[in-house]
Short mmCIF file of all heavy atoms in Angstrom, two decimals:
data_model
loop_
_atom_site.label_atom_id
_atom_site.label_comp_id
_atom_site.label_asym_id
_atom_site.label_seq_id
_atom_site.Cartn_x
_atom_site.Cartn_y
_atom_site.Cartn_z
N GLU P 1464 0.84 -1.20 0.00
CA GLU P 1464 0.00 0.00 0.00
C GLU P 1464 0.88 1.26 0.00
O GLU P 1464 0.59 2.24 -0.70
CB GLU P 1464 -0.92 0.00 1.22
CG GLU P 1464 -2.03 -1.04 1.15
CD GLU P 1464 -2.80 -1.14 2.46
OE1 GLU P 1464 -2.26 -0.73 3.51
OE2 GLU P 1464 -3.94 -1.62 2.43
N ARG P 1465 1.93 1.19 0.77
CA ARG P 1465 2.84 2.34 0.83
C ARG P 1465 3.48 2.58 -0.54
O ARG P 1465 3.59 3.72 -1.00
CB ARG P 1465 3.93 2.08 1.88
CG ARG P 1465 4.79 3.28 2.18
CD ARG P 1465 5.80 2.99 3.27
NE ARG P 1465 6.53 4.19 3.63
CZ ARG P 1465 7.57 4.20 4.45
NH1 ARG P 1465 7.98 3.07 5.02
NH2 ARG P 1465 8.19 5.33 4.72
N ALA P 1466 3.89 1.50 -1.19
CA ALA P 1466 4.49 1.62 -2.53
C ALA P 1466 3.48 2.20 -3.52
O ALA P 1466 3.82 3.07 -4.34
CB ALA P 1466 4.99 0.25 -3.00
N PHE P 1467 2.23 1.72 -3.45
CA PHE P 1467 1.19 2.22 -4.35
C PHE P 1467 0.94 3.72 -4.11
O PHE P 1467 0.72 4.48 -5.06
CB PHE P 1467 -0.11 1.43 -4.14
CG PHE P 1467 -0.19 0.18 -4.97
CD1 PHE P 1467 0.96 -0.51 -5.34
CD2 PHE P 1467 -1.41 -0.31 -5.40
CE1 PHE P 1467 0.89 -1.66 -6.11
CE2 PHE P 1467 -1.50 -1.46 -6.17
CZ PHE P 1467 -0.34 -2.14 -6.52
N LEU P 1468 0.94 4.13 -2.84
CA LEU P 1468 0.71 5.53 -2.52
C LEU P 1468 1.83 6.42 -3.09
O LEU P 1468 1.56 7.48 -3.67
CB LEU P 1468 0.61 5.73 -1.01
CG LEU P 1468 -0.68 5.23 -0.33
CD1 LEU P 1468 -0.54 5.30 1.18
CD2 LEU P 1468 -1.88 6.04 -0.79
N LEU P 1469 3.06 5.98 -2.92
CA LEU P 1469 4.20 6.77 -3.41
C LEU P 1469 4.22 6.84 -4.94
O LEU P 1469 4.35 7.93 -5.52
CB LEU P 1469 5.52 6.18 -2.90
CG LEU P 1469 5.77 6.30 -1.39
CD1 LEU P 1469 7.00 5.50 -0.98
CD2 LEU P 1469 5.94 7.77 -1.00
N ILE P 1470 4.05 5.71 -5.58
CA ILE P 1470 4.06 5.68 -7.05
C ILE P 1470 2.85 6.43 -7.61
O ILE P 1470 2.97 7.23 -8.55
CB ILE P 1470 4.09 4.23 -7.57
CG1 ILE P 1470 5.38 3.54 -7.13
CG2 ILE P 1470 3.97 4.21 -9.09
CD1 ILE P 1470 5.40 2.05 -7.38
N GLY P 1471 1.68 6.19 -7.02
CA GLY P 1471 0.47 6.88 -7.48
C GLY P 1471 0.57 8.38 -7.29
O GLY P 1471 0.14 9.16 -8.15
N GLY P 1472 1.14 8.80 -6.15
CA GLY P 1472 1.30 10.23 -5.90
C GLY P 1472 2.23 10.88 -6.92
O GLY P 1472 1.94 11.97 -7.45
N LEU P 1473 3.34 10.21 -7.22
CA LEU P 1473 4.29 10.75 -8.20
C LEU P 1473 3.66 10.88 -9.58
O LEU P 1473 3.84 11.89 -10.27
CB LEU P 1473 5.53 9.84 -8.29
CG LEU P 1473 6.52 9.94 -7.12
CD1 LEU P 1473 7.58 8.85 -7.24
CD2 LEU P 1473 7.17 11.31 -7.10
N THR P 1474 2.94 9.87 -10.00
CA THR P 1474 2.33 9.91 -11.34
C THR P 1474 1.23 10.95 -11.44
O THR P 1474 0.99 11.51 -12.51
CB THR P 1474 1.77 8.53 -11.73
OG1 THR P 1474 0.88 8.06 -10.70
CG2 THR P 1474 2.89 7.51 -11.92
N LEU P 1475 0.57 11.25 -10.33
CA LEU P 1475 -0.47 12.28 -10.35
C LEU P 1475 0.14 13.69 -10.39
O LEU P 1475 -0.44 14.61 -10.97
CB LEU P 1475 -1.39 12.14 -9.14
CG LEU P 1475 -2.47 11.05 -9.25
CD1 LEU P 1475 -3.14 10.84 -7.91
CD2 LEU P 1475 -3.50 11.41 -10.31
N ILE P 1476 1.29 13.87 -9.73
CA ILE P 1476 1.93 15.19 -9.75
C ILE P 1476 2.42 15.51 -11.15
O ILE P 1476 2.34 16.64 -11.61
CB ILE P 1476 3.11 15.24 -8.74
CG1 ILE P 1476 2.56 15.18 -7.31
CG2 ILE P 1476 3.91 16.52 -8.92
CD1 ILE P 1476 3.64 15.15 -6.25
N TYR P 1477 2.90 14.47 -11.87
CA TYR P 1477 3.34 14.69 -13.25
C TYR P 1477 2.12 14.81 -14.15
O TYR P 1477 1.38 13.86 -14.32
CB TYR P 1477 4.21 13.53 -13.71
CG TYR P 1477 4.79 13.71 -15.09
CD1 TYR P 1477 6.01 14.35 -15.25
CD2 TYR P 1477 4.10 13.28 -16.22
CE1 TYR P 1477 6.54 14.54 -16.51
CE2 TYR P 1477 4.62 13.47 -17.49
CZ TYR P 1477 5.85 14.11 -17.63
OH TYR P 1477 6.36 14.29 -18.89
N PRO P 1478 1.86 16.00 -14.73
CA PRO P 1478 0.65 16.18 -15.53
C PRO P 1478 0.68 15.34 -16.81
O PRO P 1478 1.70 15.27 -17.50
CB PRO P 1478 0.67 17.68 -15.87
CG PRO P 1478 1.60 18.29 -14.87
CD PRO P 1478 2.62 17.24 -14.60
N GLY P 1479 -0.43 14.70 -17.11
CA GLY P 1479 -0.53 13.87 -18.31
C GLY P 1479 -1.66 12.86 -18.12
O GLY P 1479 -1.83 12.31 -17.02
N LEU P 1480 -2.43 12.58 -19.14
CA LEU P 1480 -3.60 11.73 -19.01
C LEU P 1480 -3.22 10.31 -18.59
O LEU P 1480 -3.84 9.75 -17.68
CB LEU P 1480 -4.36 11.68 -20.35
CG LEU P 1480 -5.64 10.84 -20.36
CD1 LEU P 1480 -6.63 11.36 -19.32
CD2 LEU P 1480 -6.26 10.84 -21.75
N SER P 1481 -2.21 9.72 -19.22
CA SER P 1481 -1.84 8.34 -18.91
C SER P 1481 -1.34 8.22 -17.48
O SER P 1481 -1.70 7.28 -16.75
CB SER P 1481 -0.78 7.83 -19.89
OG SER P 1481 0.37 8.67 -19.86
N THR P 1482 -0.50 9.17 -17.06
CA THR P 1482 0.01 9.11 -15.68
C THR P 1482 -1.10 9.37 -14.67
O THR P 1482 -1.10 8.79 -13.59
CB THR P 1482 1.15 10.15 -15.49
OG1 THR P 1482 0.68 11.45 -15.88
CG2 THR P 1482 2.37 9.78 -16.31
N ASP P 1483 -2.04 10.24 -15.02
CA ASP P 1483 -3.16 10.52 -14.11
C ASP P 1483 -4.03 9.26 -13.92
O ASP P 1483 -4.47 8.97 -12.80
CB ASP P 1483 -4.02 11.66 -14.66
CG ASP P 1483 -3.32 13.01 -14.58
OD1 ASP P 1483 -2.31 13.10 -13.86
OD2 ASP P 1483 -3.77 13.95 -15.26
N ILE P 1484 -4.27 8.53 -15.00
CA ILE P 1484 -5.08 7.31 -14.90
C ILE P 1484 -4.39 6.28 -14.01
O ILE P 1484 -5.02 5.67 -13.13
CB ILE P 1484 -5.33 6.71 -16.31
CG1 ILE P 1484 -6.25 7.65 -17.11
CG2 ILE P 1484 -5.94 5.32 -16.21
CD1 ILE P 1484 -6.39 7.26 -18.56
N ILE P 1485 -3.07 6.12 -14.19
CA ILE P 1485 -2.31 5.18 -13.36
C ILE P 1485 -2.37 5.62 -11.90
O ILE P 1485 -2.62 4.81 -10.99
CB ILE P 1485 -0.85 5.11 -13.83
CG1 ILE P 1485 -0.77 4.49 -15.22
CG2 ILE P 1485 0.00 4.31 -12.85
CD1 ILE P 1485 0.60 4.59 -15.87
N GLY P 1486 -2.15 6.91 -11.66
CA GLY P 1486 -2.14 7.43 -10.30
C GLY P 1486 -3.46 7.26 -9.59
O GLY P 1486 -3.53 6.80 -8.44
N PHE P 1487 -4.54 7.65 -10.27
CA PHE P 1487 -5.87 7.50 -9.68
C PHE P 1487 -6.17 6.03 -9.38
O PHE P 1487 -6.75 5.69 -8.35
CB PHE P 1487 -6.94 8.07 -10.61
CG PHE P 1487 -7.11 9.56 -10.49
CD1 PHE P 1487 -6.98 10.38 -11.61
CD2 PHE P 1487 -7.43 10.14 -9.27
CE1 PHE P 1487 -7.15 11.75 -11.51
CE2 PHE P 1487 -7.60 11.51 -9.16
CZ PHE P 1487 -7.45 12.31 -10.28
N GLY P 1488 -5.77 5.14 -10.30
CA GLY P 1488 -6.02 3.72 -10.10
C GLY P 1488 -5.32 3.18 -8.87
O GLY P 1488 -5.91 2.45 -8.06
N LEU P 1489 -4.04 3.55 -8.70
CA LEU P 1489 -3.26 3.07 -7.55
C LEU P 1489 -3.81 3.62 -6.24
O LEU P 1489 -3.98 2.87 -5.27
CB LEU P 1489 -1.79 3.47 -7.72
CG LEU P 1489 -1.03 2.79 -8.87
CD1 LEU P 1489 0.38 3.40 -9.01
CD2 LEU P 1489 -0.91 1.29 -8.62
N LEU P 1490 -4.12 4.91 -6.21
CA LEU P 1490 -4.63 5.51 -4.97
C LEU P 1490 -6.02 4.99 -4.64
O LEU P 1490 -6.36 4.77 -3.46
CB LEU P 1490 -4.65 7.04 -5.08
CG LEU P 1490 -3.43 7.76 -4.46
CD1 LEU P 1490 -2.15 7.32 -5.12
CD2 LEU P 1490 -3.59 9.27 -4.56
N PHE P 1491 -6.84 4.80 -5.66
CA PHE P 1491 -8.20 4.30 -5.44
C PHE P 1491 -8.15 2.88 -4.85
O PHE P 1491 -8.92 2.58 -3.92
CB PHE P 1491 -8.97 4.29 -6.76
CG PHE P 1491 -10.38 3.80 -6.63
CD1 PHE P 1491 -11.37 4.61 -6.07
CD2 PHE P 1491 -10.73 2.52 -7.03
CE1 PHE P 1491 -12.68 4.15 -5.93
CE2 PHE P 1491 -12.03 2.05 -6.91
CZ PHE P 1491 -13.01 2.88 -6.36
N SER P 1492 -7.27 2.04 -5.36
CA SER P 1492 -7.18 0.67 -4.85
C SER P 1492 -6.76 0.65 -3.39
O SER P 1492 -7.30 -0.11 -2.58
CB SER P 1492 -6.19 -0.15 -5.70
OG SER P 1492 -4.89 0.41 -5.62
N VAL P 1493 -5.80 1.52 -3.04
CA VAL P 1493 -5.37 1.61 -1.63
C VAL P 1493 -6.51 2.12 -0.77
O VAL P 1493 -6.76 1.62 0.34
CB VAL P 1493 -4.13 2.52 -1.49
CG1 VAL P 1493 -3.77 2.72 -0.01
CG2 VAL P 1493 -2.94 1.93 -2.23
N GLY P 1494 -7.22 3.14 -1.25
CA GLY P 1494 -8.32 3.71 -0.48
C GLY P 1494 -9.41 2.70 -0.20
O GLY P 1494 -9.94 2.62 0.93
N VAL P 1495 -9.77 1.89 -1.20
CA VAL P 1495 -10.81 0.87 -1.03
C VAL P 1495 -10.38 -0.16 0.00
O VAL P 1495 -11.15 -0.52 0.92
CB VAL P 1495 -11.13 0.18 -2.38
CG1 VAL P 1495 -12.02 -1.04 -2.16
CG2 VAL P 1495 -11.81 1.17 -3.31
N VAL P 1496 -9.15 -0.66 -0.12
CA VAL P 1496 -8.64 -1.67 0.81
C VAL P 1496 -8.62 -1.12 2.24
O VAL P 1496 -9.00 -1.80 3.20
CB VAL P 1496 -7.23 -2.13 0.39
CG1 VAL P 1496 -6.59 -2.99 1.48
CG2 VAL P 1496 -7.30 -2.90 -0.92
N GLN P 1497 -8.20 0.15 2.38
CA GLN P 1497 -8.13 0.74 3.72
C GLN P 1497 -9.52 0.96 4.32
O GLN P 1497 -9.71 0.78 5.52
CB GLN P 1497 -7.35 2.05 3.65
CG GLN P 1497 -5.87 1.87 3.35
CD GLN P 1497 -4.99 2.49 4.41
OE1 GLN P 1497 -5.23 3.60 4.86
NE2 GLN P 1497 -3.97 1.76 4.82
N MET P 1498 -10.48 1.33 3.49
CA MET P 1498 -11.86 1.50 3.99
C MET P 1498 -12.43 0.18 4.49
O MET P 1498 -13.07 0.13 5.55
CB MET P 1498 -12.74 2.07 2.88
CG MET P 1498 -12.50 3.55 2.60
SD MET P 1498 -13.51 4.19 1.25
CE MET P 1498 -15.14 4.06 1.99
N LEU P 1499 -12.17 -0.89 3.75
CA LEU P 1499 -12.65 -2.22 4.18
C LEU P 1499 -11.98 -2.65 5.47
O LEU P 1499 -12.62 -3.18 6.38
CB LEU P 1499 -12.39 -3.25 3.07
CG LEU P 1499 -13.20 -3.05 1.77
CD1 LEU P 1499 -12.73 -4.04 0.71
CD2 LEU P 1499 -14.69 -3.22 2.04
N ARG P 1500 -10.68 -2.42 5.56
CA ARG P 1500 -9.95 -2.79 6.77
C ARG P 1500 -10.43 -1.98 7.97
O ARG P 1500 -10.56 -2.47 9.08
CB ARG P 1500 -8.45 -2.57 6.57
CG ARG P 1500 -7.60 -3.06 7.75
CD ARG P 1500 -6.13 -2.71 7.60
NE ARG P 1500 -5.64 -3.17 6.31
CZ ARG P 1500 -4.66 -2.60 5.63
NH1 ARG P 1500 -4.09 -1.50 6.11
NH2 ARG P 1500 -4.27 -3.08 4.47
N ARG P 1501 -10.72 -0.71 7.72
CA ARG P 1501 -11.15 0.17 8.81
C ARG P 1501 -12.54 -0.22 9.32
O ARG P 1501 -12.84 -0.07 10.50
CB ARG P 1501 -11.17 1.61 8.32
CG ARG P 1501 -10.91 2.60 9.43
CD ARG P 1501 -10.77 3.98 8.89
NE ARG P 1501 -11.28 4.89 9.89
CZ ARG P 1501 -11.28 6.20 9.80
NH1 ARG P 1501 -10.82 6.77 8.75
NH2 ARG P 1501 -11.76 6.93 10.77
N ARG P 1502 -13.39 -0.71 8.44
CA ARG P 1502 -14.72 -1.16 8.86
C ARG P 1502 -14.61 -2.38 9.76
O ARG P 1502 -15.39 -2.55 10.70
CB ARG P 1502 -15.57 -1.49 7.64
CG ARG P 1502 -16.08 -0.26 6.91
CD ARG P 1502 -16.93 -0.66 5.72
NE ARG P 1502 -17.41 0.52 5.00
CZ ARG P 1502 -18.16 0.46 3.91
NH1 ARG P 1502 -18.52 -0.72 3.41
NH2 ARG P 1502 -18.55 1.58 3.32
N ARG P 1503 -13.63 -3.20 9.46
CA ARG P 1503 -13.44 -4.39 10.29
C ARG P 1503 -12.83 -4.05 11.64
O ARG P 1503 -13.11 -4.69 12.65
CB ARG P 1503 -12.55 -5.41 9.57
CG ARG P 1503 -13.21 -6.04 8.33
CD ARG P 1503 -12.44 -7.27 7.87
NE ARG P 1503 -11.09 -6.92 7.45
CZ ARG P 1503 -10.75 -6.65 6.19
NH1 ARG P 1503 -11.68 -6.67 5.24
NH2 ARG P 1503 -9.51 -6.35 5.87
N ALA P 1504 -11.98 -3.02 11.66
CA ALA P 1504 -11.32 -2.63 12.91
C ALA P 1504 -11.35 -1.11 13.01
O ALA P 1504 -10.39 -0.42 12.62
CB ALA P 1504 -9.88 -3.14 12.95
N PRO P 1505 -12.45 -0.50 13.49
CA PRO P 1505 -12.61 0.96 13.53
C PRO P 1505 -11.49 1.63 14.33
O PRO P 1505 -11.06 1.13 15.37
CB PRO P 1505 -13.97 1.15 14.23
CG PRO P 1505 -14.69 -0.15 14.02
CD PRO P 1505 -13.64 -1.21 14.02
N ILE P 1506 -11.03 2.75 13.79
CA ILE P 1506 -9.98 3.51 14.46
C ILE P 1506 -10.45 4.95 14.59
O ILE P 1506 -10.91 5.54 13.62
CB ILE P 1506 -8.67 3.46 13.66
CG1 ILE P 1506 -8.16 2.03 13.56
CG2 ILE P 1506 -7.61 4.35 14.26
CD1 ILE P 1506 -6.94 1.89 12.67
#
């Protein structure tokens, strides 16, 4: 998840449609996984 966040963040900072799609995809996947985990163990 940490790797996805770093790579996704970098690709989103670099302007461009292809990099934006990759970045959004990586961050979205981490966000979904974290939301599911948080529902199981509220913090």
Side-chain angles (χ1 to χ4, degrees):
E1464 289 172 339
R1465 189 177 185 187
F1467 273 29
L1468 287 172
L1469 291 172
I1470 297 170
L1473 285 172
T1474 53
L1475 281 170
I1476 291 177
Y1477 184 89
L1480 181 59
S1481 57
T1482 54
D1483 289 345
I1484 292 172
I1485 293 170
F1487 277 124
L1489 293 174
L1490 263 60
F1491 181 76
S1492 62
V1493 174
V1495 169
V1496 170
Q1497 291 237 317
M1498 286 178 66
L1499 293 174
R1500 185 186 307 151
R1501 209 173 148 177
R1502 285 181 180 179
R1503 291 194 297 266
I1506 298 175

